[in-house]
Amino acid sequence: MSSPSNKRRARYAASPGTSPGTLLLREVPAHAGAPGAGIIGPALERVLRQAPAARCRLYVLTDLGRPAAAAPLAAALLETGTPRHVPEWALLHALAVATPHRGDGPHRGDGLGRRLLDDLLMELRADGVRAVWFLPGPGDDDLRALLESAGFRSATNHGLSRENERTDGYDEPEIRPWAPWLFREL
């Protein structure tokens, strides 16, 4: 019997121009021109304005079967704790699949978002991260459903220490300090 992750890989492998086992998650420097910046959209610029670049992590999911210059298939943006120490937490700001590979087009059911999330959680756990947090906002229903299917659960306390907490974003109408966060321990 095959595992769920093998089934996800098989669904993606069935897409034209791909082969099994060619997907790779890699961390790239977080900056406006980075691979995956276009997938993440304005979240990257906003996070880089609010947090030191040393605390920002941009991950991209690439297909090794495609040319090296090919755009990534999906990307995720996180912020971690103090960079000089092993980060105990990560704050997920964005996770998205590139437009041509989203589930609403011909690649419906490819599972790239889930593959990115699974690989990302495994990478973070290996780096010593013990919890991942996400504050859903308007329009995050699909990401919220993906995270909940991966074991994230609601919490009203976001668990970030006082020195790592930012409050400047709480003046925005879509962000409320009492809003329910999603989190998962790793």
Side-chain angles (χ1 to χ4, degrees):
M1 181 170 181
S2 62
S3 71
S5 62
N6 287 340
K7 289 179 186 175
R8 281 190 297 282
R9 286 186 188 115
R11 280 193 298 238
Y12 180 75
S15 299
T18 62
S19 59
T22 60
L23 298 181
L24 174 70
L25 178 73
R26 62 189 179 101
E27 184 177 355
V28 297
H31 60 84
I39 299 170
I40 296 299
L44 179 60
E45 185 180 319
R46 184 187 76 243
V47 172
L48 288 172
R49 274 194 320 261
Q50 295 175 349
R55 289 178 40 182
C56 295
R57 293 186 181 192
L58 179 60
Y59 290 90
V60 294
L61 187 64
T62 58
D63 183 348
L64 294 177
R66 297 173 67 196
L73 306 172
L77 175 64
L78 296 104
E79 177 184 343
T80 60
T82 309
R84 282 179 259 150
H85 305 289
V86 174
E88 294 182 15
W89 56 268
L91 179 58
L92 177 64
H93 286 281
L95 187 144
V97 175
T99 303
H101 302 283
R102 288 190 184 145
D104 52 0
H107 297 282
R108 184 171 195 84
D110 285 350
L112 289 175
R114 183 58 185 248
R115 174 68 187 267
L116 172 61
L117 180 60
D118 289 347
D119 289 359
L120 179 64
L121 294 175
M122 189 179 344
E123 177 74 18
L124 292 171
R125 186 179 307 115
D127 283 350
V129 173
R130 296 295 164 238
V132 178
W133 295 86
F134 176 70
L135 179 60
D140 285 334
D141 295 338
D142 290 341
L143 180 53
R144 180 185 192 99
L146 175 66
L147 294 174
E148 288 175 344
S149 74
F152 281 72
R153 58 184 191 263
S154 293
T156 53
N157 176 2
H158 54 71
L160 305 180
S161 64
R162 277 300 205 202
E163 64 272 8
N164 289 316
E165 183 176 4
R166 290 191 318 268
T167 57
D168 57 337
Y170 292 132
D171 294 334
E172 299 173 26
E174 70 273 7
I175 298 176
R176 305 280 189 250
W178 59 85
W181 290 70
L182 292 178
F183 84 101
R184 177 174 165 184
E185 292 180 16
L186 301 181

